[in-house]
Amino acid sequence: MKAGVFKAKEQVEVMEKELPLKKSNEALIKVACAGICGTDMMIYTGLHPRAECSLIMGHEFSGRVQEIDGSHVIKEGDRVSVNPLISCGECYACERGMHHICHHLQYLGIDKNGGFAEYVTVPVNNLHLLDADISDEEGAMIEPLAVAVHSLRKSSMRFGDVVLILGAGPIGMLIAMLARKAGAAKVIISDVSDFRLSVAKDQGFYTVNAKTTDAVNKAKEFTQGIGADVVFEAAGNQSTAHQMIEAIKPQGEILVVSVYKTSPQVNLAQMHFREISLKTTRCFSNDDFKKAIHLIKNKEIKADNIISHKLSILNFEEGFQLMKNADTSLKILFHT
């Protein structure tokens, strides 16, 4: 089979690989579509702490069941989206149903070979059936949408709130869509990429170009100087770590969704004086994944609206080169 392989820092290559051997309780999946995530870019740039060279990346993907043993609801030939989380089932978190924050959590495409290949083996319990009215591209968007679903569900956002999203990447965009659906009175998205902000504007969101306009002042303009009710930090840099505190109202709520590559400085004194709540999120639960499927199936969220490029897996290196430039890319998908 052909597979996109992480060779070394900023080196990826399409290679010929042997088909993976299916183990007990696994299915062999013929991959249809797989998306590049920010985590894949961390691996690509050599910044991910666990991913090793010769890895087949890719944890956002859909496909068709090629082989499956035993009696299961999902059968050979079924189209599926894949939950890439693999938990131990035995740690403190797993015993209490918090499998997504398992102490030994592993990811397909990070700790094990993933979906940037023609075929991949997947634990049967990680498969989710796709209806005929969900496209392969939408199936690959379920995983990032599940991240956004989890973020909204962890928040205390209420109908009529003003929501500020720092970062117009795929996750920030999907959070914006969900916040609007949940009844936010105003959704503001801040970023430095003209291209990504143009996509956000086309989707009907109020945009702030952080290169020329102060996102904090804009959030306060809409709230008579009070500040946003909820801030979702989805950019992961020092400037947004400052902005998330400055832009929030007294007793407001901040959700840090992004994964910081280096530890930011955070003004705890400002948070203390205004009793600001700070929450963090990590990936998603299995229930969040199911809700993401429901939202896409019922056309309540059009996640494919943020796809900027669709490439063949043969253009694997080109996809990563494109993804390096936020001024021309948003979500890039590979077809196998």
Side-chain angles (χ1 to χ4, degrees):
M1 69 173 184
K2 290 180 172 58
V5 179
F6 169 58
K7 297 285 290 180
K9 181 180 178 180
E10 297 200 8
Q11 292 183 32
V12 293
E13 182 182 342
V14 176
M15 302 180 68
E16 290 289 338
K17 290 281 189 178
E18 294 290 330
L19 261 66
L21 296 176
K22 179 175 63 62
K23 298 177 183 176
S24 175
N25 294 319
E26 287 187 338
L28 179 67
I29 305 300
K30 172 69 174 74
V31 177
C33 200
I36 301 179
C37 172
T39 303
D40 295 316
M41 294 307 295
M42 285 183 68
I43 297 171
Y44 176 74
T45 54
L47 295 175
H48 199 282
R50 301 196 313 271
E52 298 180 353
C53 296
S54 298
L55 171 74
I56 299 173
M57 291 183 286
H59 60 271
E60 304 175 353
F61 61 99
S62 64
R64 191 177 295 273
V65 178
Q66 191 80 5
E67 296 177 10
I68 191 168
D69 298 331
S71 178
H72 301 284
V73 173
I74 292 176
K75 309 293 184 185
E76 289 182 2
D78 284 344
R79 295 173 59 251
V80 293
S81 185
V82 176
N83 180 337
L85 308 186
I86 301 175
S87 55
C88 74
E90 299 176 352
C91 68
Y92 177 90
C94 285
E95 285 181 344
R96 287 154 182 80
M98 301 178 290
H99 298 278
H100 65 292
I101 52 172
C102 167
H103 183 68
H104 307 286
L105 187 68
Q106 293 188 321
Y107 253 88
L108 295 172
I110 298 174
D111 305 285
K112 301 174 183 244
N113 286 334
F116 289 152
E118 292 183 289
Y119 294 90
V120 61
T121 53
V122 175
V124 171
N125 290 338
N126 291 56
L127 302 178
H128 292 262
L129 190 66
L130 293 181
D131 290 347
D133 53 357
I134 299 179
S135 69
D136 291 335
E137 289 85 358
E138 289 174 318
M141 294 297 296
I142 289 168
E143 196 273 354
L145 180 56
V147 173
V149 169
H150 185 67
S151 300
L152 256 292
R153 293 179 77 189
K154 279 208 70 176
S155 81
S156 303
M157 198 211 92
R158 298 177 181 178
F159 185 88
D161 278 356
V162 173
V163 173
L164 172 63
I165 298 167
L166 300 172
I171 300 301
M173 288 288 294
L174 293 169
I175 289 172
M177 293 178 184
L178 289 169
R180 178 168 59 191
K181 176 176 172 53
K186 177 73 72 174
V187 178
I188 309 163
I189 302 181
S190 174
D191 204 285
V192 295
S193 165
D194 293 331
F195 170 72
R196 293 185 172 192
L197 289 171
S198 70
V199 176
K201 190 172 183 179
D202 288 345
Q203 297 300 310
F205 302 115
Y206 189 92
T207 60
V208 177
N209 190 324
K211 290 184 295 187
T212 58
T213 306
D214 190 325
V216 174
N217 287 340
K218 275 296 174 188
K220 291 185 176 180
E221 266 185 37
F222 287 117
T223 55
Q224 294 77 51
I226 298 170
D229 296 287
V230 182
V231 173
F232 291 90
E233 195 291 302
N237 58 59
Q238 184 59 64
S239 63
T240 52
H242 285 312
Q243 289 172 347
M244 68 184 186
I245 297 170
E246 294 170 356
I248 197 73
K249 72 176 185 180
Q251 290 193 340
E253 182 181 73
I254 298 167
L255 283 97
V256 178
V257 184
S258 56
V259 179
Y260 277 78
K261 300 177 181 67
T262 57
S263 298
Q265 291 184 344
V266 177
N267 192 330
L268 293 178
Q270 273 197 347
M271 295 182 65
H272 171 81
F273 293 136
R274 289 185 286 138
E275 290 192 344
I276 295 168
S277 297
L278 178 66
K279 292 182 180 179
T280 59
T281 69
R282 185 184 185 187
C283 50
F284 49 86
S285 69
N286 198 50
D287 192 46
D288 296 323
F289 201 92
K290 291 177 180 178
K291 288 188 182 300
I293 293 174
H294 174 85
L295 288 165
I296 287 180
K297 170 182 163 53
N298 291 287
K299 311 304 179 187
E300 297 178 55
I301 296 294
K302 295 183 178 179
D304 53 340
N305 282 353
I306 65 170
I307 298 171
S308 59
H309 298 79
K310 300 176 186 179
L311 304 174
S312 165
I313 193 68
L314 299 177
N315 302 112
F316 191 60
E317 185 174 2
E318 178 189 351
F320 277 84
Q321 290 296 326
L322 287 167
M323 196 68 183
K324 286 167 66 175
N325 188 355
D327 286 326
T328 56
S329 68
L330 186 50
K331 174 58 71 176
I332 296 176
L333 299 185
F334 293 113
H335 285 273
T336 61

